[in-house]
Amino acid sequence: METKKSYTAIKVLFSYVALLALVVTVGWFLYSENVVYNKLEDKIALEKIKILRVSRLYSNVYKTESLARQTIQNNSEKDFKNYLIETDSLRKRIDTLKQVVTTEYQKTLLDSVTYFLSEKTENIQQLREIKNKADDETSVNNAIDEITKMEFNLRKLELQDFTKNPNQLGSYQRGVLQRYVDYLNSNIPDDSTNTLSKKASDSILANSKKLLSSVKLKAEKKKESLNFEENKLLQNEIAISDQLRKILRIIEREIIINSIKSNSLKEKSLKRVNEIVTASAVIGLLLTVFFSILIVSDYSKSQLYKKQLEIANFKTKNLLKSREQLISTVSHDLKTPLSTIVGYSELLGNSDINTKQSYFVKNIKNSSEYISQLVQDLLDFSQIEAGKISIEKVPFSLPEIIEDVARNIQTVYKQKDIDLIINIDEQFQKRIVGDPFRLKQILTNIIGNAYKFTEEGHIRIAAYANEDQFFTISIQDTGIGIEKANQKLVFEEFAQANESIEKKYGGTGLGLSICQKIISILGGNLTLESIFGKGSTFLIRLPLLFDNSQNIPVNEIKPKTAKNSKKQTFIVVDDDINLLNLTSGVLKQEQHQVFSFTNPAKALETIKTTPFDFVITDIQMPEIDGFLFLEKLRELPETIFKNQPVIALTGRTDLDLTVYKKAGFTTVVKKPYSPKILLETIQHILDHEEVPITEYTENTTQNTSQIYSLETLKDFLGQDESALKEVLKSFLETTIENLGFLKVAIEEQNHDEIKSIAHRIAPMFKQIQANEIGDILKDLEKEDLNTIDIKATYADLKEKIKVLFEELKQEI
């Protein structure tokens, strides 16, 4: 699948940023407009307050003018006081209005209103004084009239004789009149004396009239002057009132104009807000649609990429599975011919051969062992990657493991002048708990490398406990060393320090990688310290757990006793009669007593009445398989089944040794197997030694000159020709019978039965190295038989078996 960068996350982030920026921008504009709008609202409210106050001023002004006219007309002190009170109130309102007006011009106009009010008050005061002066003339006229009346009646005079309300006269008028009355009274004779004559009285009255007429004349002249002044003041009063109303109108008009402007600005602000909201909504919608299209497009692409990735992942898993199967198959297919090569090499080495032939046999054996180690490394690597590696936790002696591995490797490289130094902490006299098999595997690889890359000097192995519940095994050599730049490379798969290493020393580059992975699974770590040209030191650090169940010092462990050679009684169960006969034949050659069964149920019945020492059973059997057979065996009374060893025979590669051990099996021997492997396994059990794990082997060696080989079979039968003929005869009969069953299963399309029959008859063909037939049977054992043409495969199988049997009949 083509690698493509996905920018979906960036686009989503950018869309959110763009929308957020839009929201922030719009929010800022709306906030700004809201501030302006609120200011306009406050300004309009203030203008309304101004207009209201100006309206109240109008009302007060009209009320003040009304009181002023009333005061002028009545010339009443009370009206004048009311006028002054209203004028003071009007001034206070003007002062209050001055606090809310905003322009200096308006404040100046209001100051002029206050000034005109003061001037108006002064005018009214002056008009009142003029009114009082006008009242003096009236008093003089009244005095003349009264004198005229007094001419006929002389008596003491009083102010009431000249005016009805003397208290209402002005101070000037009243003073003139009072002096006149006093003058008259001073010239009026007392009635008792009556000294004043008629002529004198008439003269007094006449002079009084004359005097008063003169005063009247002056008063009229003064009245004309006062009338002129009064008219002037009245005109001034009217002008002041007009000016006052004009100023108020100007202020009112200016306030109204400002209010109209504020309302206009308010409408514009609302319009801008509406435009901003509309524009932002449109832009937001467009951005949402745009980014939605981009994101949906990316989502559809991501779904497509996801689907492609799933397909690629599926292919990768299948590829890894195929690789694992390939490694497993190739490894297994290599081990069978290698076993044959190693076996025949041993036979040749033990026979009478000359020095040159011995050299050839030795080279064959060394090469076979190298390839066997390579195959084992591939299998280990495959199992580790598949997570199928099992770890045990059993007590073992660390000094014994290290000593055995080191001494065994030393014997291989005994031609090299290398000193082996082993130093082990005394704490390890006690057994520790771990996996001795995996530790041996690790030590074999690392110590083997130390010997391989060291020509002379020493190899020092030390084991010591750490303070953090770990222990360390140090393996130091004086070999070629590793360059610093290549030290990490040696732990990678299929990698070595440099190209010359592989050419000179060989190897696959898997050993240290496998060791590192196994150590990691064990909970430890592997480190390297190396100086190029001087040597290397590998440090293995693993968890430390002492075995407290027993405290037997290593140096007190009893030496191994002689091998147990007592003859045993075996129960052998296998549904394949041919393999059953082969296994039984091998055991009988060793003088063991054997009871063989193709039916597990019959074996169980015999076991109830027959004492036995060993049970060897096939795993894949019809009705009762090996696991169920063991369960039923363990259910028998303790007087019959006393935990005798039970060995599993199987051709399955999908189950780990721990599965068999958990089920109760002592060990597993995988098909096909050699007599040597079977007998060695039995001997290890008898000697209470660690049972070696045997690997499943197949023979895929293509021999162009023959289609089968009976050499391995002859080994089973101890080169007994008569026994060989019997086995071959039985093999031919059972195979023909099984082919009939296979044909019926194919016609019925019973895939499970096809797999079962193919699995049952395959081991014997592999045992005689009929590889082509073995491959066909392997195809019929596949999980999904729909991938092959079963009928065509069966026809090919039948034809090849026919050819094989024609050849085998000549051996009988």
Side-chain angles (χ1 to χ4, degrees):
M1 184 180 67
E2 183 182 356
T3 303
K4 296 183 180 179
K5 291 184 178 180
S6 175
Y7 297 99
T8 305
I10 297 175
K11 292 177 182 177
V12 171
L13 178 62
F14 186 74
S15 64
Y16 278 118
V17 170
L19 291 174
L20 180 63
L22 176 64
V23 170
V24 171
T25 304
V26 172
W28 173 255
F29 279 113
L30 291 177
Y31 173 76
S32 301
E33 290 299 326
N34 184 57
V35 171
V36 173
Y37 183 82
N38 289 334
K39 288 182 179 179
L40 291 173
E41 282 283 341
D42 294 340
K43 189 174 182 181
I44 291 171
L46 183 61
E47 297 297 330
K48 288 180 179 179
I49 292 173
K50 291 179 183 178
I51 292 172
L52 181 62
R53 290 182 178 178
V54 170
S55 299
R56 289 177 181 174
L57 282 178
Y58 265 117
S59 176
N60 290 346
V61 166
Y62 283 119
K63 188 175 180 180
T64 304
E65 288 181 349
S66 175
L67 289 173
R69 284 193 296 271
Q70 187 176 347
T71 301
I72 293 171
Q73 291 175 359
N74 298 331
N75 198 22
S76 170
E77 187 69 23
K78 182 179 179 181
D79 291 339
F80 183 66
K81 288 182 179 179
N82 290 335
Y83 167 78
L84 291 177
I85 292 170
E86 190 64 30
T87 301
D88 290 338
S89 175
L90 185 60
R91 284 196 185 95
K92 291 179 181 179
R93 291 183 182 277
I94 291 172
D95 292 337
T96 304
L97 183 61
K98 282 175 64 178
Q99 295 176 0
V100 297
V101 295
T102 55
T103 63
E104 291 296 327
Y105 177 67
Q106 291 177 348
K107 290 180 180 180
T108 302
L109 290 176
L110 289 174
D111 289 337
S112 64
V113 170
T114 304
Y115 172 76
F116 284 134
L117 283 175
S118 300
E119 188 175 353
K120 185 176 181 179
T121 301
E122 292 178 1
N123 283 341
I124 292 172
Q125 183 71 29
Q126 293 176 5
L127 284 171
R128 289 186 72 240
E129 291 177 359
I130 291 171
K131 277 281 186 181
N132 290 332
K133 290 179 180 180
D135 289 341
D136 293 343
E137 182 184 357
T138 304
S139 300
V140 173
N141 290 331
N142 290 334
I144 293 173
D145 292 336
E146 289 298 328
I147 290 173
T148 304
K149 292 178 181 178
M150 290 173 56
E151 290 178 346
F152 303 98
N153 187 16
L154 291 171
R155 59 178 179 82
K156 291 290 183 181
L157 301 175
E158 296 179 357
L159 290 175
Q160 287 81 358
D161 294 330
F162 297 96
T163 179
K164 293 180 178 179
N165 297 311
N167 293 330
Q168 294 180 356
L169 297 175
S171 58
Y172 176 75
Q173 292 93 339
R174 187 174 178 175
V176 172
L177 186 60
Q178 185 63 48
R179 288 192 302 272
Y180 179 67
V181 170
D182 291 340
Y183 174 76
L184 292 178
N185 287 331
S186 64
N187 293 296
I188 296 176
D190 191 1
D191 290 339
S192 61
T193 59
N194 196 15
T195 58
L196 187 61
S197 66
K198 173 106 166 80
K199 185 178 179 180
S201 299
D202 291 338
S203 176
I204 291 169
L205 292 172
N207 289 330
S208 296
K209 283 185 177 181
K210 186 177 180 181
L211 177 61
L212 290 172
S213 296
S214 175
V215 171
K216 179 180 179 182
L217 183 61
K218 291 180 180 179
E220 286 178 351
K221 290 182 180 180
K222 187 176 181 180
K223 182 179 180 181
E224 289 178 359
S225 176
L226 290 173
N227 286 337
F228 175 78
E229 189 174 350
E230 181 180 1
N231 289 333
K232 183 179 178 182
L233 290 173
L234 286 172
Q235 290 176 358
N236 190 24
E237 170 66 21
I238 293 170
I240 290 172
S241 296
D242 291 340
Q243 187 69 19
L244 184 62
R245 285 192 292 272
K246 182 179 179 182
I247 291 171
L248 289 176
R249 280 196 298 271
I250 291 171
I251 294 173
E252 183 181 31
R253 184 172 63 252
E254 187 172 336
I255 292 173
I256 291 172
I257 290 171
N258 289 335
S259 178
I260 292 171
K261 288 181 179 179
S262 298
N263 280 321
S264 177
L265 292 174
K266 177 182 174 182
E267 290 178 358
K268 289 181 180 180
S269 177
L270 288 174
K271 186 177 180 181
R272 281 197 301 272
V273 169
N274 185 45
E275 290 174 352
I276 291 171
V277 171
T278 303
S280 63
V282 172
I283 294 171
L285 179 61
L286 292 175
L287 285 175
T288 303
V289 171
F290 175 70
F291 286 112
S292 297
I293 292 172
L294 288 180
I295 293 169
V296 168
S297 175
D298 282 353
Y299 177 76
S300 61
K301 289 180 181 179
S302 67
Q303 290 299 107
L304 178 61
Y305 296 156
K306 183 180 178 182
K307 189 174 181 180
Q308 292 176 351
L309 185 60
E310 288 175 352
I311 294 172
N313 187 39
F314 178 74
K315 290 180 178 178
T316 302
K317 286 182 178 179
N318 286 340
L319 183 62
L320 290 173
K321 188 176 180 181
S322 299
R323 189 190 72 171
E324 182 184 345
Q325 291 177 348
L326 177 63
I327 292 175
S328 178
T329 302
V330 171
S331 300
H332 292 155
D333 290 350
L334 283 172
K335 293 192 82 173
T336 297
L338 283 172
S339 299
T340 303
I341 293 170
V342 171
Y344 282 120
S345 298
E346 290 179 358
L347 291 175
L348 282 173
N350 296 329
S351 61
D352 295 330
I353 56 175
N354 57 37
T355 305
K356 187 175 182 180
Q357 290 171 336
S358 177
Y359 175 76
F360 292 159
V361 170
K362 183 179 179 182
N363 286 337
I364 293 171
K365 186 178 179 180
N366 290 339
S367 298
S368 301
E369 289 176 351
Y370 172 77
I371 298 174
S372 296
Q373 184 60 46
L374 171 60
V375 170
Q376 187 61 50
D377 285 346
L378 287 172
L379 283 174
D380 289 339
F381 182 76
S382 177
Q383 285 183 344
I384 291 171
E385 280 203 330
K388 295 180 180 179
I389 187 171
S390 60
I391 301 299
E392 289 185 329
K393 287 190 177 180
V394 296
F396 67 94
S397 171
L398 181 62
E400 185 178 327
I401 294 290
I402 295 175
E403 187 79 22
D404 288 347
V405 172
R407 297 302 177 189
N408 289 335
I409 297 175
Q410 186 183 33
T411 59
V412 176
Y413 295 93
K414 58 185 177 181
Q415 75 279 4
K416 289 188 176 183
D417 184 17
I418 300 173
D419 294 328
L420 177 62
I421 304 169
I422 301 177
N423 295 321
I424 300 176
D425 197 325
E426 292 182 357
Q427 294 185 60
F428 295 109
Q429 296 300 318
K430 293 173 60 177
R431 288 178 174 266
I432 64 174
V433 178
D435 192 328
F437 175 76
R438 297 301 174 188
L439 183 57
K440 272 188 176 182
Q441 187 177 1
I442 295 166
L443 292 174
T444 301
N445 204 308
I446 297 177
I447 297 174
N449 281 346
Y451 270 97
K452 182 193 295 185
F453 299 115
T454 303
E455 296 300 328
E456 60 181 5
H458 69 267
I459 293 175
R460 186 187 303 275
I461 303 172
Y464 50 90
N466 302 330
E467 296 180 356
D468 54 355
Q469 299 299 315
F470 278 80
F471 72 94
T472 301
I473 301 176
S474 171
I475 302 168
Q476 180 189 21
D477 64 62
T478 56
I480 61 174
I482 304 171
E483 294 179 353
K484 190 172 182 180
N486 296 328
Q487 289 181 11
K488 290 184 179 180
L489 188 65
V490 297
F491 293 108
E492 296 182 5
E493 298 89 353
F494 305 102
Q496 292 182 335
N498 54 62
E499 294 181 358
S500 62
I501 295 293
E502 182 181 359
K503 294 177 181 179
K504 183 176 180 180
Y505 297 97
T508 61
L510 278 175
L512 289 177
S513 174
I514 293 171
C515 289
Q516 188 180 51
K517 291 180 185 294
I518 294 175
I519 291 171
S520 177
I521 294 172
L522 292 173
N525 58 69
L526 174 64
T527 57
L528 166 64
E529 297 174 0
S530 182
I531 300 175
F532 185 66
K534 294 185 179 181
S536 304
T537 301
F538 286 87
L539 298 175
I540 304 168
R541 188 169 178 270
L542 294 170
L544 175 61
L545 178 63
F546 285 104
D547 178 29
N548 296 321
S549 61
Q550 58 180 354
N551 189 15
I552 304 175
V554 175
N555 54 11
E556 293 183 8
I557 297 175
K558 294 181 179 180
K560 294 181 181 179
T561 59
K563 292 187 178 293
N564 192 327
S565 58
K566 180 181 176 182
K567 304 307 176 185
Q568 308 292 320
T569 300
F570 285 84
I571 302 295
V572 182
V573 185
D574 198 324
D575 62 328
D576 187 342
I577 186 63
N578 299 305
L579 288 178
L580 179 65
N581 292 334
L582 286 174
T583 304
S584 301
V586 170
L587 295 172
K588 288 176 181 179
Q589 285 180 357
E590 297 296 318
Q591 307 303 315
H592 296 297
Q593 186 178 5
V594 181
F595 295 92
S596 56
F597 303 91
T598 56
N599 189 330
K602 291 182 179 181
L604 289 170
E605 290 296 327
T606 302
I607 286 172
K608 292 178 182 179
T609 58
T610 305
F612 64 95
D613 301 304
F614 273 85
V615 175
I616 299 177
T617 177
D618 188 22
I619 293 299
Q620 289 179 281
M621 297 183 293
E623 297 181 5
I624 300 177
D625 65 6
F627 291 102
L628 182 56
F629 175 77
L630 180 57
E631 288 182 15
K632 293 181 178 293
L633 184 62
R634 294 167 70 92
E635 292 173 359
L636 295 175
E638 292 183 1
T639 55
I640 298 174
F641 182 66
K642 305 173 184 177
N643 288 324
Q644 292 94 329
V646 181
I647 300 173
L649 296 178
T650 183
R652 295 181 64 172
T653 59
D654 58 336
L655 297 179
D656 196 71
L657 175 63
T658 55
V659 177
Y660 295 97
K661 287 201 171 185
K662 286 180 181 179
F665 289 100
T666 305
T667 188
V668 180
V669 176
K670 296 185 177 181
K671 298 178 182 179
Y673 54 89
S674 67
K676 180 181 177 182
I677 289 176
L678 180 60
L679 295 175
E680 285 181 352
T681 301
I682 294 170
Q683 190 62 51
H684 280 298
I685 295 172
L686 290 172
D687 294 338
H688 303 289
E689 295 179 345
E690 183 181 345
V691 181
I693 298 175
T694 61
E695 296 294 334
Y696 171 70
T697 57
E698 293 181 23
N699 191 350
T700 57
T701 305
Q702 300 298 326
N703 194 324
T704 58
S705 62
Q706 55 184 21
I707 60 175
Y708 69 95
S709 173
L710 300 178
E711 296 302 324
T712 306
L713 187 57
K714 289 177 180 179
D715 287 340
F716 262 101
L717 301 175
Q719 306 297 326
D720 188 340
E721 291 294 332
S722 61
L724 176 63
K725 291 179 181 180
E726 289 296 326
V727 170
L728 290 177
K729 185 177 179 181
S730 175
F731 171 59
L732 294 177
E733 292 174 355
T734 55
T735 303
I736 292 171
E737 183 181 357
N738 285 322
L739 282 176
F741 295 146
L742 184 60
K743 181 179 180 182
V744 173
I746 291 173
E747 290 174 352
E748 294 176 354
Q749 295 186 352
N750 188 342
H751 290 187
D752 291 336
E753 184 66 17
I754 293 171
K755 295 175 186 178
S756 177
I757 296 170
H759 178 78
R760 185 168 64 247
I761 66 177
M764 194 60 188
F765 285 100
K766 295 174 183 177
Q767 202 72 47
I768 65 172
Q769 300 182 23
N771 299 320
E772 292 184 357
I773 297 173
D775 292 338
I776 296 173
L777 291 171
K778 186 188 295 184
D779 290 338
L780 292 176
E781 290 185 65
K782 288 182 177 178
E783 290 186 6
D784 188 5
L785 293 178
N786 293 320
T787 59
I788 63 173
D789 187 346
I790 300 176
K791 292 184 179 180
T793 303
Y794 173 73
D796 188 25
L797 174 66
K798 188 177 179 180
E799 183 63 29
K800 283 183 168 52
I801 289 177
K802 182 180 178 181
V803 174
L804 174 64
F805 283 5
E806 291 295 331
E807 295 287 335
L808 289 176
K809 285 177 182 179
Q810 298 177 10
E811 300 281 352
I812 300 175

